[in-house]
Amino acid sequence: MITRGHLNDLTTGLGQQMFFWGRDVLTSGNLLLKHGFEKRRSEGLQGTSCYCKPWEDGVIELHGACAGWYPCESGQCGFLFIRNAKRCYIHHRTKPVIPGKYDFREFESRDLGELTSSSRIFTAWLADYETWILRQMGRAYREECHTMFCKLPMSKPWLPPAHAHRWITSFAVGSALLPRSRAFIEPKR
């Protein structure tokens, strides 16, 4: 059963993942574009672009301040992670938010069932993307990204890339026995 703790793990993981996406933009002519994302100028916070890609009857949108999945049909719950809030939310928007301009009355994080369901759509995309990154760039690339992230003064490192990919994939498929992410860390000898 997915708990609030699992969603806290996901939130920490997405904070790390946002750094990875930033590295992907700077690598090999922009890996997000190579993966099929469309780049557009941010209507909100400047200094970073928005990247959109269709996924599961909706769209994934990535930005340096937030990331989410927005369904095509209204009434269906979408998923949003806001970096500065360090929180995941459900929403009923069909259009992506303007980064940095959030109406928090539109977002909800109390309904654990809906939040789990909508976050699985997003994490299924993330697991698929990380599999693609591994095939394109090899294992050492993400490990290098992780090492860079760990060296940042204010970073909050999560799992190493191979463990993170396993955990995200297990979360996305709805593994009933998914342990908390700390169980994926090998004990130090």
Side-chain angles (χ1 to χ4, degrees):
M1 178 177 151
I2 298 299
T3 66
R4 229 5 108 185
H6 289 96
L7 289 168
N8 291 340
D9 292 344
L10 176 61
T11 299
T12 303
L14 290 175
Q16 174 176 287
Q17 188 67 42
M18 290 188 104
F19 176 82
F20 292 174
W21 293 324
R23 297 303 311 160
D24 294 350
V25 166
L26 302 172
T27 303
S28 294
N30 193 329
L31 293 169
L32 289 177
L33 292 177
K34 286 184 178 182
H35 189 64
F37 276 86
E38 177 184 311
K39 180 180 176 180
R40 64 177 177 78
R41 191 176 64 81
S42 173
E43 295 177 27
L45 297 172
Q46 300 303 304
T48 183
S49 299
C50 293
Y51 289 86
C52 298
K53 180 177 183 165
W55 180 260
E56 297 290 323
D57 294 327
V59 66
I60 295 286
E61 182 171 276
L62 307 177
H63 182 275
C66 56
W69 175 76
Y70 301 87
C72 288
E73 294 181 25
S74 60
Q76 187 176 359
C77 284
F79 172 81
L80 179 65
F81 168 71
I82 300 176
R83 185 184 212 166
N84 286 345
K86 295 181 176 84
R87 182 165 281 207
C88 296
Y89 300 94
I90 57 173
H91 61 78
H92 294 285
R93 298 176 57 95
T94 55
K95 301 275 188 236
V97 298
I98 295 174
K101 297 182 180 182
Y102 311 114
D103 182 351
F104 284 93
R105 294 171 298 185
E106 293 183 311
F107 313 134
E108 208 284 42
S109 61
R110 291 183 307 257
D111 188 331
L112 186 60
E114 287 288 353
L115 189 52
T116 298
S117 182
S118 65
S119 64
R120 283 192 171 136
I121 295 169
F122 186 83
T123 56
W125 166 78
L126 178 54
D128 181 72
Y129 176 75
E130 285 300 312
T131 298
W132 180 83
I133 286 289
L134 184 60
R135 283 194 314 264
Q136 292 294 307
M137 303 301 291
R139 182 177 298 247
Y141 169 70
R142 248 330 162 235
E143 289 171 0
E144 182 181 324
C145 292
H146 187 253
T147 299
M148 291 169 73
F149 184 67
C150 290
K151 289 179 181 178
L152 293 175
M154 300 299 286
S155 71
K156 187 173 180 184
W158 191 50
L159 296 173
H163 296 298
H165 188 233
R166 247 181 54 230
W167 192 89
I168 289 289
T169 301
S170 296
F171 184 97
V173 299
S175 175
L177 302 175
L178 179 65
R180 294 286 308 275
S181 64
R182 65 181 166 261
F184 280 65
I185 299 173
E186 297 170 359
K188 294 180 181 176
R189 296 175 186 186

